[in-house]
Coordinates of all heavy atoms in Angstrom, one line a residue:
I68 N -10.0 34.5 -18.3 CA -9.6 33.2 -17.8 C -8.5 33.4 -16.7 O -7.5 34.0 -17.1 CB -9.1 32.2 -18.9 CG1 -10.3 32.0 -19.9 CG2 -8.7 30.9 -18.3 CD1 -9.9 31.1 -21.0
D69 N -8.7 32.9 -15.6 CA -7.7 33.0 -14.5 C -6.5 32.1 -14.9 O -6.7 30.9 -15.3 CB -8.2 32.6 -13.1 CG -9.3 33.5 -12.6 OD1 -9.2 34.7 -13.0 OD2 -10.2 33.1 -11.9
D70 N -5.3 32.6 -14.8 CA -4.1 31.8 -15.1 C -4.2 31.2 -16.5 O -4.1 30.0 -16.7 CB -3.9 30.7 -14.1 CG -3.6 31.3 -12.7 OD1 -3.0 32.3 -12.6 OD2 -4.1 30.6 -11.7
V71 N -4.4 32.1 -17.5 CA -4.7 31.6 -18.8 C -3.5 30.8 -19.4 O -3.6 29.8 -20.1 CB -5.0 32.8 -19.8 CG1 -3.8 33.8 -19.9 CG2 -5.4 32.2 -21.2
Q72 N -2.2 31.2 -19.0 CA -1.1 30.5 -19.4 C -1.1 29.0 -19.0 O -0.9 28.1 -19.7 CB 0.3 31.2 -19.0 CG 0.5 32.5 -19.6 CD -0.1 33.6 -18.8 OE1 -0.9 33.4 -17.9 NE2 0.2 34.9 -19.1
D73 N -1.3 28.8 -17.7 CA -1.4 27.5 -17.1 C -2.5 26.7 -17.7 O -2.4 25.5 -18.0 CB -1.5 27.5 -15.6 CG -0.3 28.1 -14.9 OD1 0.8 28.0 -15.5 OD2 -0.4 28.5 -13.7
T74 N -3.6 27.3 -17.9 CA -4.8 26.7 -18.5 C -4.5 26.1 -19.9 O -4.8 25.0 -20.2 CB -6.0 27.6 -18.5 OG1 -6.3 28.1 -17.2 CG2 -7.2 26.9 -19.1
L75 N -3.9 27.0 -20.7 CA -3.5 26.6 -22.1 C -2.6 25.4 -22.1 O -2.7 24.5 -22.9 CB -3.0 27.7 -22.8 CG -4.0 28.9 -23.2 CD1 -3.2 30.0 -23.8 CD2 -5.0 28.4 -24.1
V76 N -1.6 25.5 -21.2 CA -0.6 24.4 -21.1 C -1.2 23.1 -20.7 O -1.0 22.0 -21.2 CB 0.6 24.8 -20.1 CG1 1.5 23.6 -19.9 CG2 1.4 25.9 -20.7
E77 N -2.1 23.2 -19.7 CA -2.8 22.0 -19.2 C -3.6 21.3 -20.3 O -3.7 20.1 -20.5 CB -3.6 22.3 -18.0 CG -2.9 22.7 -16.7 CD -2.2 21.5 -16.1 OE1 -2.8 20.4 -15.9 OE2 -0.9 21.6 -15.8
Q78 N -4.3 22.2 -21.0 CA -5.2 21.7 -22.1 C -4.4 21.1 -23.2 O -4.8 20.1 -23.8 CB -6.1 22.8 -22.6 CG -7.1 23.3 -21.7 CD -8.0 24.4 -22.2 OE1 -7.6 25.1 -23.1 NE2 -9.1 24.7 -21.6
A79 N -3.2 21.7 -23.5 CA -2.3 21.1 -24.6 C -1.8 19.7 -24.2 O -1.8 18.8 -25.0 CB -1.2 22.1 -24.8
I80 N -1.4 19.6 -22.9 CA -0.9 18.3 -22.4 C -2.0 17.3 -22.4 O -1.8 16.1 -22.8 CB -0.3 18.5 -21.0 CG1 0.9 19.4 -21.0 CG2 0.1 17.1 -20.5 CD1 1.5 19.7 -19.6
D81 N -3.2 17.7 -22.0 CA -4.3 16.8 -22.0 C -4.6 16.3 -23.5 O -4.9 15.1 -23.7 CB -5.6 17.5 -21.5 CG -6.8 16.6 -21.3 OD1 -6.7 15.6 -20.6 OD2 -7.8 16.8 -22.0
G82 N -4.5 17.2 -24.4 CA -4.7 16.8 -25.8 C -3.7 15.9 -26.3 O -4.0 14.9 -27.0
M83 N -2.4 16.0 -25.9 CA -1.3 15.2 -26.4 C -1.5 13.7 -25.8 O -1.1 12.8 -26.4 CB 0.0 15.7 -26.0 CG 0.4 16.9 -26.9 SD 2.2 17.4 -26.5 CE 1.9 18.3 -24.9
T84 N -2.1 13.6 -24.6 CA -2.2 12.3 -24.0 C -3.6 11.7 -24.2 O -3.9 10.6 -23.7 CB -2.0 12.5 -22.5 OG1 -2.9 13.4 -21.9 CG2 -0.6 12.9 -22.2
T85 N -4.4 12.3 -25.1 CA -5.7 11.7 -25.4 C -5.7 11.2 -26.8 O -5.6 12.0 -27.8 CB -6.8 12.8 -25.3 OG1 -6.8 13.3 -23.9 CG2 -8.2 12.2 -25.5
N86 N -5.7 9.9 -26.9 CA -5.6 9.2 -28.3 C -6.6 8.1 -28.3 O -6.7 7.3 -27.3 CB -4.2 8.7 -28.5 CG -3.2 9.8 -28.6 OD1 -3.1 10.5 -29.6 ND2 -2.4 10.0 -27.5
E87 N -7.2 7.9 -29.5 CA -8.2 6.8 -29.6 C -7.5 5.4 -29.6 O -8.0 4.5 -29.1 CB -8.9 6.9 -31.0 CG -9.8 8.1 -31.1 CD -10.6 8.2 -32.4 OE1 -10.3 7.3 -33.2 OE2 -11.4 9.1 -32.5
I88 N -6.2 5.4 -30.0 CA -5.5 4.1 -30.0 C -5.1 3.6 -28.6 O -4.9 2.5 -28.4 CB -4.2 4.3 -30.9 CG1 -3.6 2.9 -31.2 CG2 -3.1 5.1 -30.2 CD1 -2.5 2.9 -32.2
D89 N -5.1 4.6 -27.6 CA -4.7 4.2 -26.3 C -5.6 4.8 -25.3 O -5.5 6.0 -24.8 CB -3.3 4.7 -26.0 CG -2.8 4.4 -24.6 OD1 -3.5 3.5 -23.9 OD2 -1.8 4.8 -24.2
P90 N -6.7 4.1 -24.9 CA -7.6 4.6 -23.9 C -7.1 4.6 -22.5 O -7.8 5.1 -21.6 CB -8.8 3.7 -24.1 CG -8.2 2.4 -24.5 CD -7.1 2.8 -25.3
H91 N -6.0 4.0 -22.2 CA -5.5 3.8 -20.9 C -4.5 4.9 -20.4 O -4.4 5.1 -19.2 CB -4.8 2.5 -20.7 CG -5.6 1.3 -21.2 ND1 -6.7 0.9 -20.5 CD2 -5.4 0.5 -22.3 CE1 -7.2 -0.2 -21.2 NE2 -6.5 -0.4 -22.2
T92 N -3.9 5.7 -21.3 CA -3.0 6.8 -21.0 C -3.8 8.0 -20.8 O -4.6 8.4 -21.6 CB -2.0 7.0 -22.1 OG1 -1.2 5.8 -22.2 CG2 -1.1 8.2 -21.7
T93 N -3.6 8.7 -19.6 CA -4.3 9.9 -19.4 C -3.4 10.9 -18.6 O -2.4 10.4 -18.0 CB -5.6 9.6 -18.6 OG1 -6.3 10.9 -18.4 CG2 -5.3 9.1 -17.2
Y94 N -3.7 12.1 -18.6 CA -3.0 13.1 -17.9 C -3.8 13.7 -16.7 O -5.0 14.0 -16.9 CB -2.5 14.2 -18.8 CG -2.0 15.5 -18.1 CD1 -0.7 15.4 -17.5 CD2 -2.7 16.6 -17.9 CE1 -0.2 16.5 -16.8 CE2 -2.2 17.7 -17.3 CZ -0.9 17.7 -16.7 OH -0.4 18.7 -16.0
M95 N -3.2 13.9 -15.6 CA -3.9 14.5 -14.4 C -3.1 15.7 -14.0 O -1.9 15.7 -13.9 CB -4.0 13.5 -13.3 CG -4.8 12.3 -13.5 SD -4.9 11.2 -12.1 CE -5.8 9.8 -12.7
G96 N -3.9 16.8 -13.7 CA -3.3 17.9 -13.1 C -2.9 17.6 -11.6 O -3.3 16.6 -11.1
L97 N -2.2 18.6 -11.0 CA -1.7 18.3 -9.6 C -2.9 18.0 -8.7 O -2.8 17.0 -7.9 CB -1.0 19.5 -9.1 CG -0.3 19.4 -7.7 CD1 0.7 18.2 -7.7 CD2 0.4 20.7 -7.4
D98 N -3.9 18.8 -8.7 CA -5.1 18.6 -7.8 C -5.8 17.3 -8.0 O -6.1 16.5 -7.1 CB -6.1 19.8 -7.9 CG -5.5 21.1 -7.3 OD1 -4.5 21.0 -6.5 OD2 -6.0 22.1 -7.7
Q99 N -6.0 17.0 -9.3 CA -6.7 15.7 -9.7 C -5.8 14.5 -9.3 O -6.3 13.5 -8.9 CB -6.9 15.8 -11.2 CG -7.8 14.6 -11.7 CD -8.0 14.6 -13.2 OE1 -7.5 15.5 -13.9 NE2 -8.8 13.6 -13.7
A100 N -4.5 14.6 -9.5 CA -3.6 13.5 -9.2 C -3.6 13.3 -7.7 O -3.6 12.2 -7.2 CB -2.2 13.8 -9.7
K101 N -3.7 14.4 -6.9 CA -3.7 14.2 -5.4 C -5.0 13.5 -5.0 O -5.0 12.7 -4.1 CB -3.6 15.6 -4.7 CG -3.5 15.5 -3.2 CD -3.4 16.9 -2.6 CE -3.1 16.7 -1.1 NZ -4.3 16.0 -0.4
R102 N -6.2 13.9 -5.6 CA -7.4 13.3 -5.2 C -7.4 11.8 -5.6 O -7.9 11.0 -4.9 CB -8.6 14.0 -5.9 CG -8.9 15.4 -5.4 CD -10.2 15.9 -5.9 NE -10.3 16.0 -7.4 CZ -10.0 17.1 -8.1 NH1 -9.5 18.1 -7.4 NH2 -10.0 17.1 -9.4
F103 N -6.8 11.5 -6.8 CA -6.7 10.1 -7.2 C -5.8 9.3 -6.3 O -6.2 8.2 -5.9 CB -6.2 10.1 -8.6 CG -6.1 8.7 -9.2 CD1 -7.2 8.0 -9.6 CD2 -4.8 8.1 -9.3 CE1 -7.1 6.7 -10.2 CE2 -4.8 6.8 -9.9 CZ -5.9 6.1 -10.3
S104 N -4.7 9.9 -5.9 CA -3.8 9.2 -5.0 C -4.4 9.0 -3.6 O -4.3 8.0 -3.0 CB -2.5 10.0 -4.8 OG -1.6 9.4 -3.9
D105 N -5.2 10.0 -3.1 CA -5.8 9.9 -1.8 C -6.9 8.8 -1.9 O -7.1 8.0 -0.9 CB -6.5 11.2 -1.4 CG -5.5 12.3 -1.1 OD1 -4.3 11.9 -0.8 OD2 -5.9 13.5 -1.1
A106 N -7.6 8.7 -3.0 CA -8.6 7.7 -3.2 C -8.0 6.3 -3.1 O -8.5 5.3 -2.5 CB -9.4 7.8 -4.4
L107 N -6.8 6.1 -3.7 CA -6.1 4.8 -3.8 C -5.4 4.5 -2.5 O -5.0 3.4 -2.3 CB -5.1 4.8 -4.9 CG -5.8 4.7 -6.3 CD1 -4.7 4.6 -7.4 CD2 -6.7 3.4 -6.4
S108 N -5.3 5.5 -1.6 CA -4.6 5.2 -0.3 C -5.6 4.4 0.5 O -5.2 3.6 1.4 CB -4.3 6.5 0.4 OG -5.5 7.2 0.9
G109 N -6.9 4.5 0.3 CA -7.9 3.7 0.9 C -8.1 4.0 2.4 O -8.8 3.3 3.1

Side-chain angles (χ1 to χ4, degrees):
I68 299 177
D69 295 333
D70 299 324
V71 64
Q72 293 91 348
D73 290 340
T74 300
L75 292 173
V76 170
E77 291 291 311
Q78 291 178 341
I80 296 174
D81 184 64
M83 285 187 286
T84 55
T85 302
N86 296 281
E87 292 182 358
I88 194 173
D89 180 12
H91 306 292
T92 297
T93 186
Y94 169 75
M95 296 182 184
L97 183 60
D98 293 338
Q99 186 181 5
K101 185 179 184 303
R102 290 194 299 271
F103 181 75
S104 179
D105 290 344
L107 287 181
S108 69

